[in-house]
Amino acid sequence: MLRHIALLALLILLAGCAAQPPEPDPIRRALQNLSDRAVDRVIQVDALQPPADQVLLLVSPQVDDSLEIDSDRFLESLTRALLGVSDGPQVIDWRPAMAGEGGAHQWRMESRLEATAPRLRLTDRDLLPYRLTLSLHRPDNDGALWQTEVEGAFDATAL
């Protein structure tokens, strides 16, 4: 009898291990895709070559409230994408106390995620059009030395 119970327990354990892993969080996946696209552009900037020699000071992003995305969550996604680059830059959260003189290889990266249109209602989903603006600054200069925009739309059911 004990042998049958042990066999049953083993079968249940194996069945649990063979089950599909849970689906990733849809908002995490959407933000990671956006962050990956943005980082692809940043890594190509001539002034950041080679990226491994650079330090990016990430400013907390400005996120439009109508997108219903937490700015800390977006910052985490952007940070993960930057850290995931092979031979990528060092990444540090920027704080106002860091303003002023910076090294030759330091860049302050600012980001703004904004809604570009009202929610688009389709038959099977709602879309939230967005524009992500990224800009690179020297720590001691407010003028952007480089800027790019990434546009798209979030599936509102994922958010």
Side-chain angles (χ1 to χ4, degrees):
M1 180 71 162
L2 188 56
R3 197 178 276 172
H4 293 306
I5 293 173
L7 182 58
L8 181 61
L10 180 62
L11 287 174
I12 290 171
L13 179 65
L14 290 175
C17 292
Q20 291 287 339
E23 280 292 315
D25 179 12
I27 187 169
R28 181 176 180 188
R29 188 172 49 230
L31 291 177
Q32 197 61 53
N33 288 342
L34 171 58
S35 297
D36 289 343
R37 289 176 44 210
V39 167
D40 285 343
R41 291 189 185 187
V42 171
I43 295 301
Q44 300 303 317
V45 175
D46 288 339
L48 291 180
Q49 301 308 314
D53 293 344
Q54 308 302 318
V55 177
L56 291 182
L57 307 169
L58 295 185
V59 176
S60 184
Q62 298 173 4
V63 179
D64 189 332
D65 291 336
S66 67
L67 291 173
E68 302 172 7
I69 296 172
D70 183 59
S71 63
D72 288 339
R73 193 162 192 186
F74 178 63
L75 178 61
E76 177 188 348
S77 175
L78 191 57
T79 302
R80 285 179 184 269
L82 283 163
L83 292 173
V85 174
S86 175
D87 295 325
Q90 293 180 35
V91 180
I92 300 172
D93 285 342
W94 181 85
R95 300 290 175 238
M98 299 171 135
E101 295 291 322
H105 297 284
Q106 289 185 348
W107 298 87
R108 189 178 77 242
M109 189 168 104
E110 296 181 0
S111 56
R112 185 176 66 248
L113 182 59
E114 59 190 334
T116 56
R119 183 180 295 246
L120 301 173
R121 298 198 186 279
L122 305 176
T123 56
D124 62 339
R125 69 187 69 193
D126 289 355
L127 297 178
L128 296 168
Y130 66 79
R131 175 183 307 118
L132 172 61
T133 304
L134 297 171
S135 55
L136 292 174
H137 306 258
R138 286 296 188 186
D140 58 348
N141 186 346
D142 286 334
L145 299 173
W146 175 86
Q147 185 169 319
T148 191
E149 294 180 345
V150 178
E151 296 194 46
F154 291 118
D155 182 344
T157 58
L159 303 177

